[in-house]
Amino acid sequence: MSENDADISDEQILDEFIIRRKRRSLTLGLFILFLALGLPCLMYFLDAGEAVGNAKYLGILSIVFMFVCLVVFEFINWRCPICSRYLKLSGNTTFCPHCKTRLKY
């Protein structure tokens, strides 16, 4: 820990981690919502054939773009508030696996 990290209280660390968890849940929820709404539209365009032209490729690229954005956001957001290292996707997030900072009550 650096000198600045010692100034951060446990409550501030826990609050920051709660904010990161909420952002993560909101982003994942929005991705699932857009996917649920976008897949039927994409299926319609794929069934429509040549009448739609390149719109089907735009739909596929949109889904791929949303997924890439979700992955990038995950790597930026899902980090320890103290050491800023990436937290694993699964497992115990009560403590940071790197610096052992408590992240949950």
Side-chain angles (χ1 to χ4, degrees):
M1 272 192 194
S2 69
E3 214 175 275
N4 292 335
D5 294 340
D7 296 337
I8 300 174
S9 71
D10 288 343
E11 187 174 322
Q12 289 172 321
I13 294 168
L14 296 172
D15 290 343
E16 175 62 27
F17 188 69
I18 288 170
I19 291 169
R20 290 175 190 226
R21 269 196 351 239
K22 286 180 182 179
R23 279 192 303 225
R24 183 184 199 210
S25 298
L26 177 66
T27 305
L28 185 59
L30 287 174
F31 176 75
I32 291 170
L33 176 69
F34 288 137
L35 196 60
L37 296 174
L39 279 179
C41 293
L42 181 61
M43 296 306 289
Y44 170 77
F45 286 135
L46 290 176
D47 288 341
E50 293 301 316
V52 190
N54 291 331
K56 59 185 170 185
Y57 299 114
L58 183 61
I60 292 170
L61 285 175
S62 297
I63 291 173
V64 169
F65 177 74
M66 285 190 318
F67 181 74
V68 169
C69 288
L70 178 71
V71 169
V72 169
F73 176 78
E74 176 70 20
F75 281 111
I76 292 170
N77 180 63
W78 200 238
R79 295 186 172 274
C80 173
I82 295 298
C83 69
S84 296
R85 292 179 68 187
Y86 183 72
L87 300 169
K88 300 202 185 313
L89 291 176
S90 61
N92 186 5
T93 54
T94 304
F95 294 93
C96 172
H98 308 289
C99 68
K100 308 300 184 219
T101 300
R102 183 175 189 77
L103 301 173
K104 289 184 183 177
Y105 292 105

